[in-house]
């Protein structure tokens, strides 16, 4: 094989496997729910800014239902890292715990919105951001 052909072959193999990894990564049901969560979070935050707490409460309900769906999924990273057996079980349990903690925070947010407790709403927004950081740091593949 000449040098040019070799380089072309290596390039095409690495590019196609990269494209495959990326395709599989953002085509999961979980990434679909996450995209919905992102959109709903943005809408909820504009409802709060415009003082429409009732609309925000509805959005928090929707967010909870997306997290409940996300809870039944397995992060792509676990299969990409070929986790199996007890390792997979432990990681799955940790993932479920972070989702459950996030749902608890969302329920607190719902109460704070209903009682018009603005400082508490702000604090809980910060906590949700923290859960996002934690969840992505631990369970989101780099793709
Ligand atoms: C409100 C907070 C959150 C927002 C706005 C958010 C948003 C997103 C977005 C935009 C993506 C990329 C979706 C795509 O590829 O198109 C994503 C992926 C992901 N998020 Fe979140 N996320 C949040 C919280 C969480 C939490 C708490 C966890 C874990 C418990 C989590 C776990 C993941 C995982 C694992 C992926 C990769 C998808 C996969 O493995 O299939 N996220 N998220």
């Amino acid at each position: 094989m000449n040098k040019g052909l070799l380089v072309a072959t290596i390039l095409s193999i690495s590019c196609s496997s990269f494209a495959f990894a990326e395709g599989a990564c953002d085509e999961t049901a979980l990434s679909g729910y996450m995209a919905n969560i992102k959109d709903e979070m943005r809408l909820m935050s504009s409802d709060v800014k415009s003082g429409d707490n009732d609309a925000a409460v509805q959005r928090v309900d929707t967010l909870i239902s997306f997290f409940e769906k996300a809870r039944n999924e397995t992060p792509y990273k676990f299969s990409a890292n070929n986790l199996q057996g007890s390792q997979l079980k432990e990681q799955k349990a940790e993932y479920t715990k972070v989702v459950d903690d996030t749902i608890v925070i969302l329920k607190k947010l719902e109460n704070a919105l209903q009682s018009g407790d603005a400082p508490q709403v702000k604090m809980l927004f910060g906590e949700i951001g923290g859960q996002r950081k934690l969840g992505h740091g631990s369970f989101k593949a780099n793709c």
Side-chain angles (χ1 to χ4, degrees):
M1 195 185 280
N2 73 33
K3 222 174 174 183
L5 189 58
L6 182 66
V7 170
T9 309
I10 291 170
L11 267 178
S12 90
I13 292 170
S14 52
C15 288
S16 61
S17 62
F18 174 72
F20 172 74
E22 193 172 40
C25 188
D26 57 15
E27 278 166 19
T28 62
L30 181 56
S31 64
Y33 297 140
M34 285 290 155
N36 292 330
I37 286 169
K38 183 180 89 181
D39 292 345
E40 206 61 27
M41 278 292 300
R42 284 198 179 145
L43 293 166
M44 194 261 292
S45 144
S46 1
D47 286 338
V48 173
K49 276 183 198 146
S50 61
D52 193 346
N53 281 18
D54 290 344
V57 167
Q58 295 304 310
R59 301 228 182 259
V60 176
D61 271 339
T62 308
L63 280 164
I64 291 173
S65 69
F66 282 130
F67 273 110
E68 279 165 352
K69 287 181 178 153
R71 190 183 190 279
N72 297 323
E73 299 296 327
T74 301
Y76 174 77
K77 189 180 182 183
F78 297 177
S79 56
N81 289 354
N82 201 20
L83 292 189
Q84 278 165 9
S86 59
Q87 238 191 342
L88 176 62
K89 222 175 149 186
E90 279 164 26
Q91 285 293 304
K92 192 87 215 272
E94 278 187 36
Y95 167 74
T96 308
K97 166 97 173 60
V98 179
V99 174
D100 286 344
D101 290 348
T102 309
I103 293 175
V104 169
I105 296 168
L106 287 166
K107 288 186 176 160
K108 286 188 193 164
L109 176 62
E110 215 167 46
N111 288 333
L113 286 165
Q114 275 157 348
S115 58
D117 186 344
Q120 178 76 352
V121 168
K122 200 174 166 196
M123 200 273 283
L124 293 165
F125 265 42
E127 285 195 11
I128 294 167
Q131 290 301 109
R132 178 178 179 274
K133 221 171 169 184
L134 179 64
H136 290 181
S138 311
F139 312 117
K140 188 170 178 287
N142 252 344
C143 56

